Amino acid sequence: MSKGKILSNTFNLQVLYEDNHIIIVNKRAGDIVQGDKTGDKPLSDVVKDYIKDKYNKPGNVYLGVVHRLDRPTTGVVLFSKTSKALPRLNKLFAEKKANKTYWAIVKNRPKVSQETLIHWLKKNPKNNKSTAYHKEIKDSKKAILHYKLIKSLDNYHVLEIELETGRHHQIRSQLSTIGSPIKGDLKYGFDRSNKDASISLHARRLRFIHPVSKVEIDVTAPLPKDPIWQACEH
C-alpha cells in the first residue's frame, strides 16, 4: 500500500499511511511512543494533535497504541484511530500475523552472513537491560530472530532482521551477544554514542492484513537523514 512515501510532515510528524481506522508514522530517534516517567510529550500525543487539527475534531481524540519502539530507535510505528480496530490489531500482533523487518548498522561483521539466533532473554528492570543466555534460566523468555547481511560499507555492515518473537531489547541484546552490537548502542557494548543519541536500528517495514478492510498493508519507512544510513540505500 505504501512504499515509504511521506504523506504529511506537519507537527514534526512523518505520516506514511492513514485511513479511517489506522495511522502509521515514521518515528524519529528520541521520540517516546507512549508517555513515561520522563514527562516528555509522547509520539501518541503528537499524533492526536495532528488528527485533531487535520479533521477539526472537537474534544478528545481516540488513539490506541498497538506496539512500541525503543526511544533511540527509528522507523515504522502503527496506531489505531478507532476502538473497533485496536483489539483486532492487538490480536494480529499477538498471533504474530504482522511481519516486522528491521535494519541495523553494526561495526563488527557477524561470523555468519545469514543465521537464526535463538537465546533466552532475562530483563533486569534496575538498569532496563536484557541479557541473552544460550540456555533457559529462571524468568528468561525465548527469543528468536533471523538476520542476513544485506550490505557492507567502508566501516560498517547493514543487517536485515526479521523478528519471530518480540522481547525487551531483543535485537539489541542478541546482536551484542554474537559480537555485533548496534552502532551507537552504548548499553549493549558499542564503543561510542551517535551524535544525536540514537542507535542505528530502524524499523524498516511493516506488513499485515488490515483488520477492517482486509486489504494488505505494506509500509516501508524512509531511512534517517544520516550519511551512513543514506549509504545503505545506494
Side-chain angles (χ1 to χ4, degrees):
M1 292 292 293
S2 175
K3 291 298 180 185
K5 183 182 177 184
I6 297 169
L7 304 181
S8 172
N9 239 333
T10 55
F11 290 86
N12 282 322
L13 191 70
Q14 290 189 351
V15 179
L16 303 176
Y17 177 85
E18 183 182 4
D19 62 28
N20 291 336
H21 292 283
I22 64 175
I23 182 168
I24 302 174
V25 303
N26 187 13
K27 185 181 102 61
R28 301 172 305 172
D31 288 342
I32 46 170
V33 174
Q34 203 169 19
D36 64 5
K37 61 186 179 184
T38 64
D40 295 340
K41 186 170 184 172
L43 185 58
S44 56
D45 281 0
V46 177
V47 175
K48 284 181 182 179
D49 290 345
Y50 161 82
I51 293 170
K52 189 179 181 73
D53 180 78
K54 182 177 180 179
Y55 301 103
N56 295 312
K57 281 184 173 284
N60 294 327
V61 171
Y62 177 88
L63 193 77
V65 176
V66 180
H67 66 118
R68 297 166 183 80
L69 290 179
D70 296 342
R71 187 164 191 167
T73 64
T74 55
V76 178
V77 179
L78 164 68
F79 295 97
S80 172
K81 292 171 64 177
T82 64
S83 55
K84 178 180 182 179
L86 182 61
R88 299 182 186 187
L89 288 168
N90 287 338
K91 189 167 185 279
L92 270 178
F93 275 72
E95 293 176 352
K96 299 180 176 60
K97 292 180 179 176
N99 296 309
K100 292 178 281 185
T101 301
Y102 293 80
W103 282 15
I105 298 173
V106 300
K107 188 172 185 179
N108 302 325
R109 177 178 175 149
K111 293 176 182 176
V112 181
S113 60
Q114 185 168 342
E115 192 176 18
T116 294
L117 300 182
I118 302 175
H119 294 99
W120 278 262
L121 265 56
K122 184 172 182 178
K123 180 182 176 182
N124 182 345
K126 290 182 180 178
N127 61 4
N128 192 35
K129 185 176 178 180
S130 287
T131 302
Y133 297 90
H134 293 288
K135 293 183 179 180
E136 186 175 7
I137 65 167
K138 185 183 178 185
D139 299 326
S140 64
K141 294 180 178 179
K142 194 173 187 178
I144 304 171
L145 66 75
H146 314 278
Y147 79 79
K148 64 180 177 181
L149 178 70
I150 57 172
K151 187 154 191 173
S152 288
L153 307 171
D154 289 343
N155 298 306
Y156 298 101
H157 305 278
V158 187
L159 306 180
E160 184 171 89
I161 297 138
E162 302 279 348
L163 279 180
E164 198 166 308
T165 55
R167 307 302 184 198
H168 174 261
H169 290 181
Q170 179 178 338
I171 298 173
R172 300 167 67 180
S173 179
Q174 287 192 276
L175 290 184
S176 175
T177 299
I178 65 166
S180 298
I182 295 167
K183 181 178 177 291
D185 198 357
L186 295 176
K187 178 170 279 193
Y188 286 93
F190 201 81
D191 57 2
R192 62 186 183 277
S193 60
N194 290 341
K195 289 180 181 178
D196 62 356
S198 69
I199 64 172
S200 300
L201 177 63
H202 182 67
R204 179 65 166 161
R205 188 179 178 194
L206 178 65
R207 306 180 299 286
F208 60 96
I209 301 300
H210 194 292
V212 180
S213 68
K214 303 304 179 187
V215 300
E216 183 184 14
I217 304 295
D218 186 345
V219 175
T220 297
L223 297 172
K225 294 189 181 306
D226 166 271
I228 297 175
W229 270 124
Q230 294 301 306
C232 297
E233 274 194 315
H234 303 299

